[in-house]
Amino acid sequence: MIVIVVCSFLALENRHPATAKWYDRRDCVFIEFCVADSKNVEVNFEKSKFGFSCLGGTDSVKHSNEVDLFEAIDQNESKHKRTDRSVLCCLRKVEAGKKWPRLTKEKAKLNWLSVDFNNWRDWEDDSDEELDNFDRFSEMMNTMGGEDGMPDLDGVEEEDSADSDDEKMPDLE
């Protein structure tokens, strides 16, 4: 019996929660898992629960997070995007326009989860409609053209203007 408990404890010890930041928007809740060089990313969207797991970093550390969500999400419309530095998840709210004061159902503080204050805003005061972050990111990537991922600048004339660095320096005495 003791061996089983020790083995179970060792299996859990090898799993670390990924550090994450979250923020609320009118139609979605965004959560970004800060795991560099993630591999084998698995995201499980359920109506009232959300799961994330991956191998991360050069050491291939196993990360695993599970959250009982504050409100229901539309698991079919929720999505995620992996980058070299993180995995961004967009959880589509069932009740759009309802503010989430926290990500979790319970008020417990999770040491791996924090609010993303760089992206947080009081969206109830917004009067203009905008594309959500995923759509804007996708649109930006699709409209990028030209060489080296830079937009095509055909038709833009270069100006031959004098630069302050082009002025002759006075001689030293």
Side-chain angles (χ1 to χ4, degrees), residues 1-2 13 24-25 33 41 45 80 99 123 138 161 171:
M1 189 78 149
I2 294 173
E13 188 176 320
D24 185 32
R25 287 292 192 268
F33 292 95
V41 174
F45 299 109
H80 72 281
K99 186 175 182 175
W123 51 260
S138 296
S161 61
D171 293 331

Side-chain angles (χ1 to χ4, degrees), residues 9-173:
F9 179 73
L10 290 175
L12 291 175
E13 188 176 320
N14 292 333
R15 292 178 163 221
H16 302 284
T19 302
K21 301 182 290 185
W22 80 283
Y23 60 97
D24 185 32
R25 287 292 192 268
R26 186 176 311 279
D27 297 332
C28 299
V29 172
F30 291 89
I31 181 167
E32 182 177 17
F33 292 95
C34 305
V35 179
D37 301 321
S38 60
K39 298 179 271 311
N40 302 337
V41 174
E42 293 182 28
V43 179
N44 185 21
F45 299 109
E46 296 179 26
K47 189 167 185 80
S48 61
K49 191 181 279 190
F50 171 72
F52 170 81
S53 66
C54 74
L55 296 175
T58 56
D59 299 336
S60 292
V61 174
K62 175 72 175 174
H63 294 282
S64 181
N65 301 64
E66 191 168 296
V67 179
D68 289 322
L69 297 168
F70 179 75
E71 290 285 337
I73 62 168
D74 182 345
Q75 62 265 34
N76 297 324
E77 291 294 319
S78 297
K79 51 192 170 182
H80 72 281
K81 176 149 181 83
R82 183 199 159 280
T83 67
D84 289 340
R85 295 184 181 194
S86 66
V87 178
L88 180 62
C89 301
C90 174
L91 310 177
R92 180 76 59 184
K93 295 179 182 178
V94 169
E95 292 183 51
K98 186 172 183 181
K99 186 175 182 175
W100 287 25
R102 61 185 178 276
L103 181 65
T104 61
K105 187 174 190 168
E106 302 296 323
K107 289 186 178 182
K109 172 75 174 137
L110 301 173
N111 61 352
W112 55 268
L113 182 65
S114 63
V115 174
D116 186 351
F117 288 108
N118 290 332
N119 288 308
W120 193 274
R121 67 178 186 187
D122 189 9
W123 51 260
E124 291 175 338
D125 294 337
D126 287 349
S127 58
D128 60 338
E129 292 296 322
E130 65 177 23
L131 297 171
D132 68 47
N133 285 351
F134 259 32
D135 292 339
R136 285 190 291 149
F137 179 75
S138 296
E139 183 179 317
M140 179 186 72
M141 293 305 289
N142 290 335
T143 59
M144 297 287 279
E147 295 178 4
D148 301 325
M150 295 299 294
D152 190 11
L153 298 177
D154 287 342
V156 176
E157 297 179 25
E158 288 189 29
E159 296 181 19
D160 290 331
S161 61
D163 194 359
S164 63
D165 292 342
D166 295 338
E167 296 175 12
K168 185 177 184 218
M169 295 288 294
D171 293 331
L172 295 175
E173 294 181 14

